[in-house]
Amino acid sequence: MTAKISFDDVAVGTELPARSFPVTRETLVRYAGASGDFNPIHWNGRFAAEVGLPDVIAHGMFTMAEAARVVTDWLGDPGALIEFGVRFTKPVAVPDTVEGATIEVTGKVAVLLDDRRARVDLLVTSGGAKVLGVPRAVVQLA
Amino acid sequence: MPLDAKFIGRTYPPTEPYEVGREKIREFAAAIGDPDPAYNDPEAAKALGHPDVIAPPTFAIVVTMRAADQVVHDPELGLDYSRVVHGDQKFTYTRPVRAGDRLTVVTTVDNIKSLAGNDILTTRAEVTTVEGEHIVTALSSLVARAAADDSEA
């Protein structure tokens, strides 16, 4: 593992470059195929309505994957991400429009740990609302 | 009917090996929109010290979700999968999954609890190579939402 970020160059509060990620119905179909999660709430509007959802919703694991990108892009080596956990608190509704929805991710160093590790806390929102609870990563810095 | 707490601690047999291929990693990386060369280019991955392309961190779910089928479709447990949503997810990595790995998963029911009529099932999936090297531990909680007619006595 060879993170491009040195432990000596970060402090509590160091911000990671923020990103926003578009998600459309096509994104969800593609993710369903690649991940093997074909639950119809992620592609079938009729089914989503029947089970009381506001619209088709993104896979929670898709949102988690996008959140991870902010950390792995910053690290330069995805292998330097050694722990990552989230709660799925609010679904990301994806309307059948050209724009779909957007997932916004920001992050900052929250705690410096032993062995040149650090804890990174993320904020993951869509449409102004938090969609993941306590998204946290532990990273191995150089 | 609430899930039976006697399932806490139950461990399911190891899954058949899942062989991780370069093209599957590329497909998954494309599906999450991530052009990171470590997922696509073996030389780029080697430059970072990995023997072959590595998989995005959440790729582990592809393997653990298949393993979790043993639990969620266990007829004895009786989970109503149509009412299940993903509650939380945590991965702890020993090293990244990479192309060429043959992975097997042992899933254990860590906890079952009831909260406001919802059943919360927590599983722990230990992902290792067939050679026995630990790769990642995945903790998942699944929430089975209370059925509308559960309140009828």
Side-chain angles (χ1 to χ4, degrees):
Chain A
M1 288 188 294
T2 38
K4 295 194 168 78
I5 305 292
S6 167
F7 183 80
D8 303 322
D9 294 336
V10 304
V12 170
T14 297
E15 291 186 7
L16 282 62
R19 294 282 305 268
S20 49
F21 303 102
V23 45
T24 66
R25 292 288 177 88
E26 183 188 349
T27 317
L28 299 184
V29 169
R30 193 180 289 265
Y31 183 80
S35 68
D37 183 347
F38 292 100
N39 189 328
I41 60 174
H42 303 306
W43 52 269
N44 184 328
R46 174 179 47 78
F47 184 88
E50 277 172 17
V51 296
L53 292 167
D55 208 330
V56 160
I57 61 169
H59 302 75
M61 287 306 304
F62 176 82
T63 305
M64 186 177 185
E66 299 311 289
R69 287 176 61 187
V70 164
V71 183
T72 56
D73 282 355
W74 178 65
L75 290 170
D77 178 2
L81 174 64
I82 53 179
E83 201 176 294
F84 187 38
V86 306
R87 284 189 197 144
F88 302 103
T89 47
K90 187 176 189 299
V92 176
V94 181
D96 186 12
T97 60
V98 175
E99 301 80 23
T102 305
I103 298 166
E104 314 269 358
V105 185
T106 63
K108 62 183 179 194
V109 174
V111 185
L112 299 178
L113 304 168
D114 291 344
D115 301 326
R116 305 181 78 78
R117 294 179 174 193
R119 196 186 90 201
V120 171
D121 290 3
L122 302 175
L123 176 65
V124 185
T125 61
S126 184
K130 264 192 212 183
V131 292
L132 295 181
V134 286
R136 283 181 181 173
V138 175
V139 297
Q140 178 69 62
L141 299 173
Chain B
M1 202 168 68
L3 295 177
D4 194 335
K6 79 174 184 207
F7 279 82
I8 297 171
R10 180 168 297 200
T11 295
Y12 290 79
T15 56
E16 288 297 309
Y18 177 102
E19 187 162 336
V20 181
R22 284 181 182 170
E23 297 300 343
K24 183 66 193 180
I25 290 176
R26 287 193 182 111
E27 180 193 10
F28 188 88
I32 63 168
D34 195 335
D36 195 314
Y39 308 143
N40 291 285
D41 175 3
E43 293 310 316
K46 279 175 193 156
L48 295 169
H50 306 293
D52 205 326
V53 289
I54 61 171
T58 61
F59 179 82
I61 201 73
V62 173
V63 188
T64 60
M65 199 173 64
R66 290 174 182 216
D69 279 351
Q70 290 173 296
V71 186
V72 298
H73 299 310
D74 182 340
E76 271 189 78
L77 179 64
L79 185 68
D80 178 358
Y81 196 60
S82 69
R83 295 189 295 123
V84 167
V85 294
H86 203 167
D88 54 56
Q89 183 68 42
K90 183 179 180 184
F91 298 106
T92 306
Y93 306 92
T94 299
R95 70 153 168 86
V97 171
R98 62 184 178 233
D101 280 342
R102 298 180 73 223
L103 301 175
T104 182
V105 186
V106 172
T107 307
T108 299
V109 175
D110 256 9
N111 202 11
I112 289 173
K113 60 184 176 184
S114 234
L115 206 64
N118 299 328
D119 283 323
I120 302 170
L121 172 74
T122 307
T123 60
R124 186 178 77 251
E126 296 289 357
V127 182
T128 61
T129 65
V130 292
E131 293 83 13
E133 181 185 7
H134 182 264
I135 306 298
V136 54
T137 299
L139 291 174
S140 310
S141 80
L142 298 175
V143 182
R145 292 173 295 162
D149 58 3
D150 266 8
S151 55
E152 292 173 14

